[in-house]
Amino acid sequence: MIFKPHNYQKYAIDFIENNPVAAAILDMGLGKTVITLTAIERMLHDSFEVSKVLIVAPLRVARTTWPEEIKKWDHLKNLSYSVVIGTPEERLNALSADADIYIINRENLAWLMNQPNYFLNFDMAVLDELSSFKANSMRTKAFLKLRPRLKRVVGLTGTPSSNGLMDLFFEFKCLDMGKRLGRFITRYRTAYFKPDRYNGNVVYSYKLLPGAEQAIYDRISDITISMKAVDHLNMPELISTEYSVDMDEKERSNYEALKKDLILDLPEHNVTAANAASLSNKLSQMANGAVYADDEAVIRIHDRKLEALEDIIESANGRPVLVAYWYKHDLERITKLLDKLKVEYARISSPGSIQAWNEGRFSVGLIHPASAGHGLNLQAGGNHLVWFGLTWSLELYQQTNARLYRQGQKEGTVVITHIVTKNTIDERVLKALENKDLTQNSLIEAVKAEL
């Protein structure tokens, strides 16, 4: 296929070529993969600025998306690549292959850094989903060991600060080794943040100091380009709605008991929350309608969300509905409902199921955000997404929404429905996602490319 870049794509390609360190905040659907590969191809075969490139990506994206993009475009046909995934023996064979580009999943970065030095003579690296390089994770530590060897680094993401601007420290340290935001997280915190919630010497959260947000943006602006899909693509209309449900008195009593006492005594089972994170998880399950007991049994709490989902599917009148679930017991209860309604459905977890969805072969698609958030094009199969259970992760939330809300959506309007149980943690999660999005948009606007 012949690549005819849009003006914004030309701008992004030139930006990557002209900046040895580049953070490209490109919204879903803007073609970040072909943009990056085009810049790489030019630097490999035209300017000869690089000779060996490492691409680090989520597993399925490494296995499928990058190779498919290389094969898809005519101007990339001279790029040779090797996919470094699989067993240790398969990975070593892939590293030993003669190629321009080596594509590895981020979980194997630590393994890569334990290989002989002659395998590590990369002069450029691309971090696909830069936002996953947070705190002192193994992948972050491994990449920081590799970073001094590199002449060029590109970080790609659509959601650079999904949990606030504290996330940016390690992301940009991976890019510039601390030149802009400093080498130490403690100094970064002291310079731009102050404690927000704390107990004695234990600080649970931080908030920005006055003027700190703009100061951070100013520090990174010279190496950062940002573009939103709505500014450059013919995006469909987006309608976001809430479908509220409520628990009865007994169900509410159980919910409040666990919330207050961290333990719920039931006739045959106990549900215990060991800490705040566990409590959040258990309350989310109860809001969805079921909860895992201490002995792993699934305890039914209510069917309000199932009833709401049934109403939504019925009102769709045969039109496809994509349903995002979070817990395994959510999936089990949803499939029982669909079996009862005699609705054709499938889990979207394989290339075959993706193709079947896009061809309209079933009415309901079931998707888990963590396994299907990145890189799936599902817009041909429908335009209605229902969140049965929410996630705290803005990145997974936005990426899942973008499976339908993207260029090429045939229906013209995308409807996203959140089934929310009133006066529960559901409302807090939805509000948190909205508040994080404000921070996200602030960052993107601050470094937005003026074409």
Side-chain angles (χ1 to χ4, degrees):
M1 183 181 296
I2 297 175
F3 179 51
K4 297 179 180 179
H6 299 284
N7 287 337
Y8 73 85
Q9 291 176 319
K10 293 178 182 177
Y11 184 95
I13 292 166
D14 290 342
F15 186 86
I16 291 172
E17 282 192 80
N18 294 330
N19 289 273
V21 178
I25 306 172
L26 302 176
D27 214 349
M28 286 76 78
L30 287 179
K32 65 179 180 180
T33 308
V34 68
I35 286 171
T36 308
L37 285 170
T38 302
I40 289 172
E41 195 278 333
R42 290 181 183 180
M43 289 185 285
L44 278 168
H45 299 147
D46 292 343
S47 63
F48 307 107
E49 291 187 39
V50 298
S51 59
K52 187 176 181 181
V53 180
L54 177 70
I55 295 176
V56 185
L59 176 59
R60 193 179 49 74
V61 177
R63 181 192 294 123
T64 304
T65 304
W66 284 90
E68 287 184 351
E69 285 289 303
I70 294 173
K71 291 183 285 188
K72 178 179 179 180
W73 302 104
D74 291 350
H75 72 294
L76 303 178
K77 63 183 180 182
N78 291 324
L79 287 179
S80 57
Y81 67 90
S82 182
V83 181
V84 188
I85 62 174
T87 65
E89 182 180 359
E90 290 170 334
R91 281 179 252 150
L92 279 174
N93 289 337
L95 274 180
S96 302
D98 184 18
D100 298 319
I101 299 172
Y102 296 80
I103 308 168
I104 193 169
N105 59 307
R106 56 201 179 192
E107 293 80 7
N108 278 326
L109 263 180
W111 170 86
L112 177 65
M113 292 309 299
N114 287 324
Q115 304 314 306
N117 282 337
Y118 55 80
F119 283 130
L120 306 177
N121 57 338
F122 302 101
D123 45 23
M124 178 177 178
V126 177
L127 300 181
D128 191 357
E129 297 309 331
L130 175 66
S131 58
S132 67
F133 286 79
K134 298 173 183 175
N136 268 325
S137 63
M138 288 185 64
R139 70 186 63 158
T140 301
K141 291 178 180 178
F143 186 76
L144 288 174
K145 290 180 182 178
L146 178 66
R147 178 62 185 88
R149 299 170 177 265
L150 304 169
K151 293 191 300 183
R152 287 181 166 271
V153 181
V154 178
L156 302 174
T157 186
T159 52
S161 57
S162 58
N163 291 296
L165 295 182
M166 195 72 76
D167 284 352
L168 294 185
F169 175 80
F170 282 103
E171 295 173 26
F172 276 81
K173 186 175 181 180
C174 285
L175 299 182
D176 68 3
M177 294 184 287
K179 180 178 179 180
R180 286 161 183 82
L181 298 182
R183 295 177 57 201
F184 304 102
I185 183 66
T186 51
R187 293 183 183 177
Y188 177 69
R189 278 199 299 257
T190 302
Y192 300 107
F193 300 85
K194 65 179 179 180
D196 182 20
R197 293 189 302 111
Y198 53 89
N199 183 7
N201 293 326
V202 180
V203 180
Y204 296 106
S205 66
Y206 291 84
K207 63 181 178 181
L208 286 160
L209 291 167
E213 184 174 359
Q214 189 58 50
I216 292 171
Y217 297 155
D218 290 344
R219 295 288 295 172
I220 64 175
S221 62
D222 64 315
I223 61 168
T224 307
I225 183 175
S226 176
M227 296 178 179
K228 284 188 174 182
V230 293
D231 295 331
H232 303 287
L233 300 181
N234 183 21
M235 296 292 286
E237 181 184 0
L238 177 64
I239 298 175
S240 181
T241 65
E242 290 183 35
Y243 191 123
S244 296
V245 300
D246 207 351
M247 293 185 280
D248 65 24
E249 187 175 344
K250 181 180 178 182
E251 295 157 358
R252 172 73 55 191
S253 176
N254 285 333
Y255 180 91
E256 294 297 333
L258 180 63
K259 181 178 177 182
K260 178 183 177 182
D261 302 326
L262 303 187
I263 187 168
L264 177 61
D265 289 320
L266 297 171
E268 297 181 3
H269 304 277
N270 289 332
V271 180
T272 305
N275 50 45
S278 175
L279 179 62
S280 171
N281 191 39
K282 296 293 186 183
L283 293 179
S284 292
Q285 293 179 44
M286 294 182 76
N288 288 358
V291 64
Y292 289 115
D294 296 347
D295 60 1
E296 299 298 318
V298 177
I299 309 302
R300 174 190 168 278
I301 302 299
H302 64 82
D303 294 331
R304 303 293 181 265
K305 287 197 175 186
L306 291 173
E307 293 163 359
L309 182 60
E310 182 176 352
D311 289 344
I312 292 169
I313 293 171
E314 183 178 350
S315 63
N317 199 26
R319 294 171 66 86
V321 176
L322 191 63
V323 179
Y325 66 93
W326 192 253
Y327 299 104
K328 185 177 179 181
H329 57 61
D330 289 342
L331 175 63
E332 292 169 351
R333 291 182 301 122
I334 292 170
T335 55
K336 285 182 180 179
L337 170 67
L338 297 177
D339 287 334
K340 173 187 169 186
L341 298 176
K342 297 182 180 178
V343 172
E344 291 189 51
Y345 67 90
R347 287 182 61 192
I348 298 181
S349 57
S350 66
S353 61
I354 294 168
Q355 181 178 351
W357 165 264
N358 282 325
E359 292 175 354
R361 289 193 231 158
F362 45 87
S363 299
V364 176
L366 303 174
I367 188 171
H368 193 287
S371 61
H374 293 286
L376 294 187
N377 296 319
L378 303 177
Q379 71 272 22
N383 66 317
H384 192 175
L385 171 62
V386 177
W387 282 91
F388 185 88
L390 290 167
T391 169
W392 286 98
S393 169
L394 176 65
E395 182 176 2
L396 293 182
Y397 175 74
Q398 290 183 332
Q399 290 280 357
T400 303
N401 290 343
R403 298 315 105 216
L404 301 186
Y405 181 61
R406 62 195 300 124
Q407 191 177 38
Q409 173 56 248
K410 297 179 180 179
E411 297 299 325
T413 300
V414 172
V415 179
I416 297 177
T417 302
H418 310 84
I419 305 178
V420 175
T421 304
K422 291 180 182 178
N423 300 314
T424 69
I425 199 170
D426 276 357
E427 295 178 338
R428 289 190 59 196
V429 175
L430 197 55
K431 185 176 181 180
L433 290 169
E434 292 168 352
N435 289 340
K436 288 177 184 177
D437 201 23
L438 290 176
T439 303
Q440 188 76 27
N441 283 332
S442 297
L443 171 61
I444 291 174
E445 289 297 327
V447 294
K448 193 172 177 181
E450 297 293 339
L451 302 187

